[in-house]
Amino acid sequence: MKQNLKKTFTSYWKYLALQTACKKDIFDLILSGKKTINELAKFGNFNKTVLSDLMSALEQAETLQIIENKIFLTEKGEVLTENNPNSLKYACIHWGEETMTAWQNLDYTLITGKQAFNHIYKKTFFDYLAEDKSKLENYHKAMNEYARDDYENICEKYDFSIHESIMDIGGSLGALINVISKNNPNLKCYLFDLPEVIELIKKHNYKIIKGNFFENIPKVSETLIMSRIIHDWNDKKAIIILQNAYKSLPKNGTLYLIENLTDKIENKAALLSLNMHLITESYERTLSEYKILLEKANFKFVEYKKINELQHLIIFIKL
Ligand SMILES: C[S@@+](CC[C@H](N)C(=O)[O-])C[C@H]1O[C@@H](n2cnc3c(N)ncnc32)[C@H](O)[C@@H]1O
């Protein structure tokens, strides 16, 4: 038991070794042919002794193998390279940056109930991202890597072809709407997000719309979907977004939420919820908390469905 506890204290070392290798493109360099410590150290301007220990730590993490002084990526290591179709490079980088600094200030959030992020960086998370294009891009690449995996089978769990159109509100780089659009060729698909995010989208098979959901959601679609949106906001702000969704939809229009329902997940998503307290103005809610919130914006609850290990699709209609 004590041994386990001690391992937990330093478990972040393993993660930060991986995160640093991703940040410094070390997995990409190995893939591109830099196969020895000397070649890597020269190319990346790294300290050879430290690099050698880092390589051993990455070998322990089963991301690479060192055979006769040559370094080879394992399947796990390949997933941490930039162009791998299943890449998790930016998801890996994400958690070791500002989020980790916020976690180091959990005591501030514990005492005040306020976001450590805003306390440290003097602005809200989304305002902070908007001011730095490379941070914004890295965050959305990380979100996209999670979303690509989380939503890949969503159309097997739910039939969106019952609708004529659907708009993904706060759709980031489009992982969700892309899957819905590919599986439902007759469905008109739209993605709505902040202008600076829309500008990051390169290729798309859906219409893109720039805007701010606190101001207005355009009336272009009879169905809206919001994934991991409402959990970013406190009740007061969430209701403003939901009222704008209400105004955007026709009568009987459907609003889908995708969220982590804490009462439907075994460990109550407690760590995820703490993360929300630290970074955003919110926390992960229960199904009944979502029902109460949505009723305040005149939506009627229809049903909910589990779509993956963590998330549920929660279905409401506009009265
Ligand atoms: C937690 S991310 C969720 C992204 C994506 N839906 C997913 O499930 O991975 C929140 C999204 O809301 C967008 N967003 C934040 N504030 C917004 C606003 N005022 N208007 C429109 N979109 C906003 C962000 O740009 C981001 O794409």
Side-chain angles (χ1 to χ4, degrees), residues 126 139-140 143 147 151 170-172 192-194 197 211-214 227-229 231-233:
F126 290 111
Y139 168 74
H140 282 280
M143 284 299 105
Y151 309 135
S172 184
F192 176 90
D193 209 307
L194 292 164
V197 179
N212 182 332
F213 49 46
F214 289 112
S227 167
R228 294 194 265 246
I229 299 301
H231 81 160
D232 288 339
W233 306 100

Side-chain angles (χ1 to χ4, degrees), residues 175-234:
L176 172 62
I177 200 69
N178 193 31
V179 169
I180 295 179
S181 164
K182 275 192 180 148
N183 282 278
N184 298 283
N186 295 325
L187 190 61
K188 273 188 225 139
C189 292
Y190 303 85
L191 180 144
F192 176 90
D193 209 307
L194 292 164
E196 63 269 21
V197 179
I198 294 293
E199 274 156 30
L200 299 175
I201 300 175
K202 290 175 187 115
K203 273 197 333 211
H204 53 89
N205 57 350
Y206 43 80
K207 293 204 169 105
I208 48 177
I209 302 179
K210 297 177 183 176
N212 182 332
F213 49 46
F214 289 112
E215 290 165 10
N216 174 51
I217 299 177
K219 294 183 184 183
V220 292
S221 173
E222 40 124 11
T223 314
L224 302 178
I225 187 161
M226 294 184 188
S227 167
R228 294 194 265 246
I229 299 301
I230 299 302
H231 81 160
D232 288 339
W233 306 100
N234 63 28

Side-chain angles (χ1 to χ4, degrees), residues 58 69 77 92 110 112 117 131 144 147 150 153 165 233 260 302 314:
L58 297 178
N69 292 329
C92 177
L110 180 65
T112 61
F117 185 94
E131 284 176 11
N144 202 53
D150 291 345
N153 298 321
S165 55
W233 306 100
N260 306 312
V302 181
I314 322 162

Side-chain angles (χ1 to χ4, degrees), residues 55-184:
M55 289 300 111
S56 301
L58 297 178
E59 192 171 26
Q60 275 172 41
E62 297 170 353
T63 53
L64 50 87
Q65 275 187 307
I66 306 171
I67 304 168
E68 292 170 6
N69 292 329
K70 290 218 160 145
I71 308 165
F72 300 92
L73 293 184
T74 62
E75 209 182 326
K76 225 192 223 181
E78 281 175 11
V79 165
L80 295 171
T81 60
E82 182 94 24
N83 295 321
N84 187 287
N86 295 311
S87 180
L88 292 176
K89 179 177 177 180
Y90 289 92
C92 177
I93 294 173
H94 174 70
W95 300 107
E97 301 291 290
E98 291 82 355
T99 309
M100 184 165 269
T101 312
W103 271 92
Q104 286 174 321
N105 288 270
L106 179 58
D107 52 349
Y108 169 85
T109 296
L110 180 65
I111 288 163
T112 61
K114 294 184 185 158
Q115 304 101 286
F117 185 94
N118 300 20
H119 176 63
I120 302 159
Y121 296 100
K122 310 294 173 216
K123 46 186 69 109
T124 67
F125 181 64
F126 290 111
D127 287 347
Y128 177 85
L129 289 181
E131 284 176 11
D132 185 326
K133 197 168 173 210
S134 85
K135 285 187 187 298
L136 180 81
E137 191 159 15
N138 286 354
Y139 168 74
H140 282 280
K141 283 181 178 172
M143 284 299 105
N144 202 53
E145 289 170 358
Y146 277 102
R148 176 203 61 214
D149 295 349
D150 291 345
Y151 309 135
E152 66 177 333
N153 298 321
I154 193 168
C155 294
E156 288 162 26
K157 311 270 171 177
Y158 194 82
D159 181 11
F160 292 98
S161 73
I162 53 172
H163 301 296
E164 278 174 17
S165 55
I166 187 161
M167 176 153 65
D168 185 3
I169 305 297
S172 184
L173 303 186
L176 172 62
I177 200 69
N178 193 31
V179 169
I180 295 179
S181 164
K182 275 192 180 148
N183 282 278
N184 298 283

